[in-house]
Amino acid sequence: MISIRQRKGIQTTEVSEDYVAQEENVKLENKLPSSCTNRRLWTILSFTVGGTVALCTGLLTSVYLATLHENDLWFSNIKEVEREISFRTECGLYYSYYKQMLQAPTLMQGFHGLIYDNKTESMRTINLLQRMNIYQEVFLSILYRVLPIQKYIEPVYFYIYTLFGLQAMYVTALYITSWLLSGTWLSGLLAAFWYVTNRIDTTRVEFTIPLRENWALPFFAIQIAAITYFLRPNLQPLSQRLTLLAIFISTFLFSLTWQFNQFMMLMQALVLFILDSLDMLPAVKVTWLYGIQLTGLFLVCILQFFNSMILGSLLISFNLSVLIARKLQKNLKTGSFLNRLGKLLLHLFVVLCLTLFLNNIIKKILNLKSDEHIFKFLKAKFGFGATRDFDANLYLCEEAFGLLPFNTFERLSDTLLFYAYIFVLSITVIAALAVAFRNLSDSTNQQSMYKMGEYRIGLKPETAYNLIHTILFGFLALSTMRMKYLWTSHMCVFASFGLCSPEIWELLLKLIHLYNPKRICIMRYSVPILILLYLCYKFWPGMMDELSELREFYDPDTVELMNWINSKTPRKAVFAGSMQLLAGVKLCTGRTLTNHPHYEDNSLRERTKAVYQIYAKRAPEEVHALLRSFGTDYVILEDSICYERRHRRGCRLRDLLDIANGHMMDGPGKNDPDLKLAGHPRFCEEIKRNLPPYTAYFTRVFQNKTFHVYKLSRNK
């Protein structure tokens, strides 16, 4: 063995000279037109086919979702009022501003009506462009008025088709992200298939079309795709600039279209912080991404007339704190393992303290209380003490803000997505831990490689980013069901990438001592193709049955109520009631509201709680005084709320009001010892008996099986 090694060492010069000569010949051959042309043609062909499949997949998904919406409601056949009622809760409120802009005599008058709005909240003039993320409705209304399309498409179809068109962009962006990570467009096709077959858990656009997340998530997916490309090493300067521009535009549009953008981007900033601290991303690129987040958010803040909720967001405080801490701790990535670990913990502590300090200072200066209900909700949700706060309990009792149900994983497992995701996640987590340990142990290592025996484990920066992204958003989805749509769509991307990734299969085959380049090629193509065949075989018949199933929108009681309001009440009448119903009243009738579902304002939350006393145990004169203080002319009572059975005891709206008022709840069950018997019966029940104390203040003017409308007397 020794002699062989010595002879190789002696002949090294000769061999290397021969090798250099051969290498030069190969280079010359590669420069020949035929070889170069073949390679270019193959690249162009692959890109063309993959790009065409991406666009077709996105468009087919869009058509599929639009068809489901049509089949479910028979949208093309029902009346306009029924179409508008189908935009339930806050969806109807947002769509009403699109309708308002279209009905305005001029665009300038439409803008003026949004900036000086006195119909969304009675006795108050508010700037809707400041309070709500409705620039998309403004933009669409301008497009519809300017483009010569009024004769060919109705306003409502222009609106919903735009949203379904964004879904095409969404799926295409997921496809591209998976393609970028794996190197093959087959991965993108699998991601798109998984997105469609897991539609129940990846999107709800077909029945909540105007919801803000349906506008925002496509831009978020584009941003992730752009970041994935940006984190690749050795990008050309022009490519890097164009990618940064794409990241900025998508970040800006995402922030502009969703009021909860700051919380999603805070999670993203945490991803960057973790990877930067572990030296798994280039520090310069991380700084660029922090800067883009801040710039995009500040620009949105300006467009929203310096919305205080944006300025007081944790995201701004966190990003500023990270940049300041990095300046203070310049030698963070030097030293031995224990030295670096200690510096890392200190860095984390400094960033946390700076974030809380800056955030408190900003909120005190701005007197900001817009998001305090969210922190009350989070405090109670994660067991930091029970609360009787009405707003926090309103969120806690909603299923959408509860833990992710276990049956979600059963559905995801039926499509093999969950199994594939766990498989890929396990391997990449092992690789990430190995690389992180290596980086902390050796500060001179910049290759993100770890040598384990004869194997070298590597993790590309773009893979590391998507790994931590999926983990953090997974925790968010597990804790809050409504946020699962951020995670499940990325699950499709991450699982499909791993099954088509040569690096993942190489690591796995090496660990089980079956490594062979041909085996890698076979596995990365055969496994995805087999899964695609399985998905087609199992789910194609069900999808065809779903497309052939025809239903029709049917809500005669609400239609009757809206028609009555339109025909029997003054245009300037003020209506009080539940947030969800009043959004429909605003859209269908244009009447003035006392409250509405956009809950990100402290004074509105207090007003809503006061209006909801119609479902509490309060005296008629007290309820009348509260409602008249907001200029109410009519109040709408709903039997579905007054006699609610959907929630368990303690979570019904009437129970939340009783607890907040210090009253004992109805029905069998325990009450807190300090709760007292109410001095009056429940208002929504007692008013129907037409007793003199109630008829003195309220006169019933409309009634059907679901709704009771009372006109308020103007007498004190």
Side-chain angles (χ1 to χ4, degrees):
M1 294 291 291
I2 296 174
S3 61
I4 292 173
R5 288 182 180 177
Q6 288 175 342
R7 284 193 302 201
K8 283 186 176 181
I10 292 169
Q11 295 176 358
T12 299
T13 305
E14 296 176 5
V15 171
S16 61
E17 288 175 356
D18 293 336
Y19 178 77
V20 169
Q22 291 175 5
E23 191 179 34
E24 288 177 355
N25 291 333
V26 169
K27 287 181 178 179
L28 288 172
E29 289 174 3
N30 287 341
K31 290 180 180 179
L32 292 175
S34 59
S35 176
C36 187
T37 302
N38 289 337
R39 192 179 297 108
R40 284 181 180 176
L41 285 174
W42 176 252
T43 302
I44 292 170
L45 179 63
S46 176
F47 182 81
T48 303
V49 173
T52 303
V53 172
L55 293 174
C56 291
T57 305
L59 289 172
L60 286 173
T61 304
S62 175
V63 172
Y64 172 63
L65 294 172
T67 305
L68 289 179
H69 174 258
E70 169 64 25
N71 290 355
D72 192 46
L73 300 176
W74 203 5
F75 202 74
S76 59
N77 188 68
I78 58 179
K79 299 175 183 177
E80 187 67 19
V81 65
E82 293 175 308
R83 290 176 178 175
E84 292 178 348
I85 291 170
S86 71
F87 297 140
R88 298 194 181 272
T89 65
E90 60 187 291
C91 298
L93 183 69
Y94 297 131
Y95 183 78
S96 72
Y97 300 122
Y98 170 73
K99 181 180 176 182
Q100 181 178 324
M101 280 291 292
L102 291 178
Q103 291 177 343
T106 65
L107 285 175
M108 290 306 298
Q109 286 177 292
F111 269 112
H112 187 272
L114 295 178
I115 296 173
Y116 301 97
D117 179 271
N118 53 17
K119 302 196 76 174
T120 301
E121 294 176 19
S122 58
M123 303 183 72
R124 292 183 65 186
T125 299
I126 61 173
N127 185 342
L128 293 169
L129 295 177
Q130 180 187 49
R131 284 271 297 276
M132 303 183 192
N133 297 70
I134 58 169
Y135 270 103
Q136 49 267 49
E137 276 75 22
V138 173
F139 177 71
L140 271 194
S141 63
I142 293 172
L143 271 184
Y144 188 80
R145 293 179 69 138
V146 170
L147 296 176
I149 57 175
Q150 289 85 351
K151 294 181 180 179
Y152 309 104
I153 186 170
E154 297 175 58
V156 66
Y157 277 107
F158 183 67
Y159 186 91
I160 66 172
Y161 285 165
T162 299
L163 267 299
F164 288 126
L166 282 176
Q167 283 296 301
M169 286 175 49
Y170 191 13
V171 174
T172 303
L174 298 177
Y175 181 111
I176 291 171
T177 303
S178 188
W179 185 359
L180 288 170
L181 287 169
S182 66
T184 171
W185 57 263
L186 180 63
S187 169
L189 183 61
L190 180 57
F193 262 67
W194 263 330
Y195 179 87
V196 175
T197 53
N198 291 282
R199 174 181 56 82
I200 294 174
D201 297 300
T202 55
T203 183
R204 49 178 176 168
V205 66
E206 75 271 20
F207 58 91
T208 58
I209 295 176
L211 208 61
R212 301 300 85 179
E213 67 189 52
N214 295 329
W215 284 97
L217 292 185
F219 298 118
F220 192 54
I222 292 171
Q223 186 219 41
I224 293 170
I227 289 175
T228 300
Y229 184 75
F230 175 68
L231 292 177
R232 285 184 163 190
N234 305 320
L235 282 183
Q236 295 295 323
L238 179 60
S239 297
Q240 185 163 302
R241 291 192 200 100
L242 291 175
T243 308
L244 282 171
L245 180 62
I247 295 172
F248 172 75
I249 292 173
S250 55
T251 301
F252 166 70
L253 292 174
F254 170 69
S255 303
L256 189 65
T257 51
W258 197 13
Q259 69 268 31
F260 294 134
N261 63 79
Q262 52 182 287
F263 302 105
M264 304 308 107
M265 288 204 295
L266 177 62
M267 300 291 287
Q268 195 175 59
L270 286 172
V271 173
L272 298 173
F273 176 73
I274 292 168
L275 294 173
D276 181 38
S277 300
L278 296 174
D279 205 16
M280 297 172 75
L281 291 183
V284 175
K285 291 189 175 183
V286 172
T287 304
W288 270 107
L289 294 175
Y290 282 140
I292 285 174
Q293 281 193 339
L294 287 172
T295 307
L297 213 56
F298 277 125
L299 186 55
V300 171
C301 183
I302 293 170
L303 285 175
Q304 289 194 280
F305 297 82
F306 297 95
N307 186 318
S308 60
M309 189 173 176
I310 295 176
L311 292 173
S313 67
L314 274 173
L315 174 65
I316 288 179
S317 302
F318 178 79
N319 282 8
L320 291 175
S321 300
V322 171
L323 295 174
I324 293 170
R326 283 172 61 177
K327 288 291 184 182
L328 296 175
Q329 297 171 289
K330 294 181 180 179
N331 298 321
L332 182 66
K333 299 178 181 179
T334 58
S336 63
F337 175 79
L338 291 178
N339 194 359
R340 285 198 64 181
L341 188 61
K343 289 180 179 179
L344 185 60
L345 293 175
L346 177 62
H347 182 63
L348 177 63
F349 179 74
V350 170
V351 169
L352 179 63
C353 291
L354 266 176
T355 300
L356 295 176
F357 174 75
L358 286 175
N359 194 250
N360 283 326
I361 290 294
I362 293 171
K363 285 185 174 179
K364 284 182 179 179
I365 293 173
L366 298 175
N367 192 26
L368 179 62
K369 297 181 180 179
S370 299
D371 57 356
E372 65 177 9
H373 64 300
I374 297 174
F375 294 105
K376 287 180 182 177
F377 157 71
L378 292 174
K379 182 179 176 182
K381 181 179 178 66
F382 294 112
F384 295 103
T387 180
R388 289 184 178 176
D389 182 77
F390 175 76
D391 303 317
N393 282 328
L394 203 59
Y395 281 100
L396 287 169
C397 288
E398 282 298 322
E399 184 182 1
F401 292 94
L403 299 176
L404 189 66
F406 186 76
N407 61 11
T408 305
F409 301 106
E410 294 178 357
R411 290 192 298 271
L412 296 174
S413 299
D414 285 343
T415 63
L416 304 182
L417 172 60
F418 187 65
Y419 298 127
Y421 177 75
I422 293 299
F423 165 72
V424 176
L425 186 67
S426 302
I427 295 175
T428 48
V429 164
I430 292 171
L433 291 174
V435 171
F437 181 78
R438 173 61 179 170
N439 288 352
L440 289 175
S441 301
D442 182 6
S443 60
T444 62
N445 176 61
Q446 301 296 327
Q447 302 295 322
S448 288
M449 288 285 188
Y450 179 61
K451 190 169 183 179
M452 183 187 291
E454 58 181 305
Y455 311 129
R456 293 181 71 83
I457 299 175
L459 198 67
K460 296 177 181 177
E462 60 267 33
T463 305
Y465 169 78
N466 280 276
L467 169 64
I468 306 301
H469 177 100
T470 198
I471 290 173
L472 290 190
F473 279 85
F475 282 123
L476 181 64
L478 291 171
S479 65
T480 308
M481 189 186 78
R482 185 174 178 180
M483 297 302 172
K484 72 176 179 178
Y485 302 101
L486 289 156
W487 184 43
T488 50
S489 59
H490 197 265
M491 282 178 70
C492 301
V493 170
F494 199 75
S496 60
F497 133 72
L499 295 182
C500 297
S501 169
E503 291 84 5
I504 297 295
W505 287 113
E506 180 182 354
L507 177 59
L508 178 66
L509 293 175
K510 281 182 175 179
L511 289 174
I512 60 176
H513 304 287
L514 291 174
Y515 173 73
N516 185 299
K518 290 184 179 179
R519 287 197 183 114
I520 292 175
C521 187
I522 292 170
M523 295 301 290
R524 70 183 293 230
Y525 289 112
S526 62
V527 172
I529 290 172
L530 288 173
I531 292 176
L532 284 169
L533 292 173
Y534 166 79
L535 293 176
C536 291
Y537 172 76
K538 184 170 182 179
F539 293 98
W540 184 261
M543 291 171 67
M544 291 300 101
D545 291 341
E546 198 174 27
L547 288 172
S548 63
E549 187 177 351
L550 303 178
R551 292 178 293 272
E552 182 180 359
F553 176 85
Y554 185 74
D555 189 355
D557 290 347
T558 307
V559 171
E560 185 185 11
L561 172 66
M562 298 304 171
N563 288 335
W564 178 84
I565 293 173
N566 269 321
S567 60
K568 301 296 183 181
T569 64
R571 292 288 301 172
K572 294 184 179 180
V574 178
F575 278 79
S578 68
M579 296 183 290
Q580 296 81 1
L581 179 62
L582 289 184
V585 171
K586 173 77 168 63
L587 171 57
C588 298
T589 71
R591 301 304 191 264
T592 304
L593 313 179
T594 56
N595 54 304
H596 54 81
H598 194 270
Y599 219 50
E600 279 67 57
D601 180 76
N602 186 55
S603 61
L604 176 65
R605 293 195 294 271
E606 292 175 355
R607 176 183 283 218
T608 299
K609 181 181 175 182
V611 170
Y612 276 7
Q613 297 304 311
I614 58 179
Y615 298 109
K617 298 171 182 176
R618 300 292 291 267
E621 58 272 16
E622 294 175 342
V623 175
H624 182 269
L626 284 170
L627 295 177
R628 284 301 302 160
S629 67
F630 307 126
T632 307
D633 297 309
Y634 297 89
V635 59
I636 308 173
L637 296 172
E638 300 171 63
D639 286 346
S640 59
I641 297 178
C642 190
Y643 307 107
E644 181 185 359
R645 293 182 178 87
R646 184 169 67 94
H647 290 102
R648 68 183 187 277
R649 184 177 185 269
C651 267
R652 300 169 298 190
L653 179 61
R654 61 180 186 267
D655 296 337
L656 302 183
L657 290 163
D658 289 343
I659 293 170
N661 293 339
H663 297 156
M664 296 176 67
M665 294 181 288
D666 294 336
K670 293 183 179 180
N671 286 285
D672 290 342
D674 59 329
L675 295 178
K676 301 177 181 178
L677 284 169
H680 301 277
R682 193 166 304 281
F683 178 84
C684 64
E685 296 176 358
E686 199 70 9
I687 192 174
K688 295 169 187 173
R689 298 176 61 191
N690 291 324
L691 298 175
Y694 292 85
T695 55
Y697 296 98
F698 302 92
T699 303
R700 185 161 55 199
V701 291
F702 175 84
Q703 177 184 1
N704 62 21
K705 291 184 294 183
T706 305
F707 305 105
H708 303 262
V709 182
Y710 293 86
K711 185 176 182 179
L712 277 68
S713 67
R714 294 185 176 271
N715 299 327
K716 294 184 179 180

